[in-house]
Structure formats: C-alpha cells, structure tokens
C-alpha cells in the first residue's frame, strides 16, 4: 500500500466570461502541487505550505485544501487520516484558480491513498467543500476543469466536458496585482433585469454550441460578457485597453479570468494566441 502520493493541479480560467460560476477551463503551465501522507491518526493536518503563497491557515478547516480532505475523510468515516504539504505555484487573488488548485491537488493525491480510489466526478463535491472556504460559495467553474481537464460545464451536481477544437488556444495575462475574490463578488451586488439574463443566456449558448461545432463565428458572436464584466472591469486598471489589444490581435473574444485581475483571450490558433498575449502584456504595462 502506498503511504505517500503527490499530485499537480493546473490553474484555470473561471467563468469564461459568459458562464459565471458554471464554466471554466484549465490552463497549461502554472499550478499547485500537493504531497499527501496517509497517517494512522484519523485526522487531517497541514504540515507545510511553500512557494508563491505561504501565509495561509494551517488549520485544516480554514484552509481550502485541508477542508477538501476533511470533507473526503468525514464522508467515508475513514479510520486513518492525511498529512498535507502544499507547494503553491499560483498566486492568490490572481483570477487563476489558486485556491481551487490546492483543493484539487490535495484531493487527487489523497484519493491515490484510498483503499478504493474514486473517479474524478466523485471527488467533485469534496472539491466544492474546499473551494467554499475561499469564495464563500460552492461553485465549480475552477475545480471542475482542474479535475477533468479542458473546458467544463460545472453545475451544482455534475461536471460535463465540452469538446473544443484542438487548434484553439487561450492566452492568459496576469498583471501581478491582487484582486480578492470576495471583493470582486461584492462588486456584483445590485439589480439585474430579466432582459439582461436572456441576452447572457444567448451568449452562453452560442459559445457552447460554437465549441461543440468548431464554429469560431458563433464563439465570436457569443464571447462577450454582458452581466459580470461591466461591473468588475473598473476594478482592473487598464482592462479596456488590454481587452482591445486582444481583439485587435485577432482573438475570438476576451474577458476577465475568474474574479480577476488576470485577463484571457480565446484564439483560433497558437500563433494568434501568442500575438494576443504579447499585445495584452504590453497594454497592461
């Protein structure tokens, strides 16, 4: 029986503009690593946190990764426990899913130590329990794509992988600023008209159908967030110029990654994505 397991979770783009709290995709490169040890005591403890963020709670129930393991442990009344070490590669408050990545990496590592490991879908509710510690709500637009990879529709009960043409790429630019998720969510308070929801539903439908069909024209028509982006954009210095730089470079669409301040752009090929990414970086500068 294995007593130690290590897992990597990638970062993610939450919301993808038009899918607030329900749509997200993983991104290559950046991510968190969790090392989990199976211990005899039936408890969850955090031994160390290293990397880009170190001032996180060591109390398991106040830590996103720790709470995810507590949820897993309690759900199955396990007679043993877990000791966790985190190596953070994603800065918090970046809009790249930093808290969610810790949850997922810890869960995947712990899952490998179970006598009967679960599939990724069965880990989902425990990831939601961990994510709620950071965001105050059980939404899966970050943890879902980290568990399955790619573009994922994450409802309260289910994860569904959305097929996307392999040539399409995303450019994601982080301005090395911090925007706390709770602060970004507070900006969304206020009245929303029924017509706004109808229009946003049409946008989301076009993006999902465009992905499944490989129809870039549908994505270009739909990838424009009408509800959240207008309320959060003022929190991100230079956002309008960065978005325009992406569109001028040929991107199908661009918006805020998660709660921000990172910005993403969807492109039809890697070359366009690299051009858009450079233009977005220049605009932020």
């Amino acid at each position: 029986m294995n007593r130690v397991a290590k897992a990597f979770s990638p970062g993610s783009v939450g919301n993808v503009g038009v899918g607030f709290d329900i749509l997200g995709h993983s991104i290559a490169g950046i991510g968190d690593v969790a090392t989990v040890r199976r211990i005899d005591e039936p408890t969850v403890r955090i031994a160390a946190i290293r990397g880009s963020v170190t001032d996180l709670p060591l109390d398991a129930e106040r830590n996103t990764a720790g709470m995810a393991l507590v949820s897993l442990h309690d759900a199955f009344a396990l007679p043993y426990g877990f000791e966790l070490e985190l190596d953070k590669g994603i800065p918090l408050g970046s809009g790249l899913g930093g808290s969610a990545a810790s949850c997922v990496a810890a869960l995947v590592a712990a899952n490998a130590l179970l006598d009967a490991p679960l599939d990724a879908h069965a880990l989902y509710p425990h990831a939601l329990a961990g994510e709620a510690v950071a965001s105050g709500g059980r939404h899966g637009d970050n943890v879902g794509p980290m568990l399955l990879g790619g573009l994922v529709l994450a409802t309260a009960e289910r994860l569904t992988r959305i097929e996307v043409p392999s040539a399409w790429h995303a450019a994601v630019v982080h301005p090395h600023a911090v925007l706390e998720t709770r602060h970004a969510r507070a900006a969304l308070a206020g009245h929303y008209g029924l017509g706004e929801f109808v229009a946003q539903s049409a946008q989301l439908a076009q993006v999902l159908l465009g992905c499944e069909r490989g129809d870039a024209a549908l994505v270009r028509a739909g990838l424009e967030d009408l509800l959240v982006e207008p309320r959060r954009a003022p929190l991100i210095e230079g956002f309008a110029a960065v978005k325009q730089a992406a569109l001028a470079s040929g991107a199908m669409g661009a918006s805020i990654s998660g709660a921000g301040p990172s910005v993403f752009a969807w492109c039809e090929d890697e070359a366009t994505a690299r051009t858009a990414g450079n233009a977005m970086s220049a605009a932020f500068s």
Side-chain angles (χ1 to χ4, degrees):
M1 181 187 68
N2 291 331
R3 301 287 298 190
V4 182
K6 181 180 289 187
F8 170 84
S9 173
S12 65
V13 169
N15 302 330
V16 194
V18 295
F20 182 69
D21 278 1
I22 60 170
L23 190 66
H25 66 78
S26 55
I27 54 177
I30 197 170
D32 287 1
V33 174
T35 303
V36 177
R37 293 174 178 82
R38 179 164 156 169
I39 58 178
D40 293 333
E41 302 93 327
T43 189
V44 174
R45 62 184 183 227
I46 301 175
I49 301 175
R50 300 177 290 265
S52 62
V53 184
T54 57
D55 58 343
L56 298 174
L58 292 176
D59 176 7
E61 295 192 356
R62 295 176 53 237
N63 181 287
T64 57
M67 188 61 216
L69 295 190
V70 169
S71 176
L72 177 68
H73 180 272
D74 292 352
F76 294 95
L78 298 175
Y80 49 86
F82 303 110
E83 182 180 84
L84 168 67
E85 294 184 22
L86 287 173
D87 288 282
K88 297 288 297 176
I90 304 176
L92 294 186
S94 62
L96 301 174
S99 60
S102 295
C103 288
V104 172
L107 279 171
V108 171
N111 187 51
L113 304 178
L114 298 181
D115 295 332
L118 309 170
D119 68 19
H121 294 271
L123 295 176
Y124 181 46
H126 308 298
L128 291 177
E131 175 74 334
V133 173
S135 65
R138 295 172 61 90
H139 50 84
D141 56 319
N142 286 306
V143 297
M146 291 173 182
L147 283 167
L148 298 188
L151 180 67
V152 173
L153 181 65
T155 65
E157 306 293 338
R158 181 179 294 108
L159 297 175
T160 303
R161 180 83 179 266
I162 307 298
E163 294 302 318
V164 180
S166 60
W168 291 6
H169 278 67
V172 187
V173 177
H174 173 48
H176 298 291
V178 174
L179 179 54
E180 294 183 0
T181 300
R182 292 176 187 267
H183 180 51
R185 293 184 85 85
L188 304 182
H191 173 76
Y192 295 80
L194 179 60
E196 291 180 282
F197 280 103
V198 173
Q200 186 82 338
S201 297
Q203 300 295 86
L204 176 60
Q206 289 181 98
V207 168
L208 295 178
L209 191 58
C211 288
E212 290 283 353
R213 290 183 174 179
D215 188 335
L218 274 175
V219 172
R220 287 181 182 276
L223 193 50
E224 175 70 26
D225 178 14
L226 307 176
L227 284 182
V228 176
E229 181 185 302
R231 292 165 173 82
R232 283 182 169 170
L235 303 177
I236 303 171
E237 185 175 0
F239 172 76
V242 173
K243 179 177 179 177
Q244 182 54 43
L247 297 177
S249 299
M252 292 183 283
S255 190
I256 301 167
S257 176
S262 296
V263 178
F264 78 93
W266 274 17
C267 304
E268 292 182 64
D269 54 60
E270 183 176 358
T272 303
R274 293 190 180 280
T275 299
N278 290 333
M280 293 160 71
S281 295
F284 260 133
S285 295

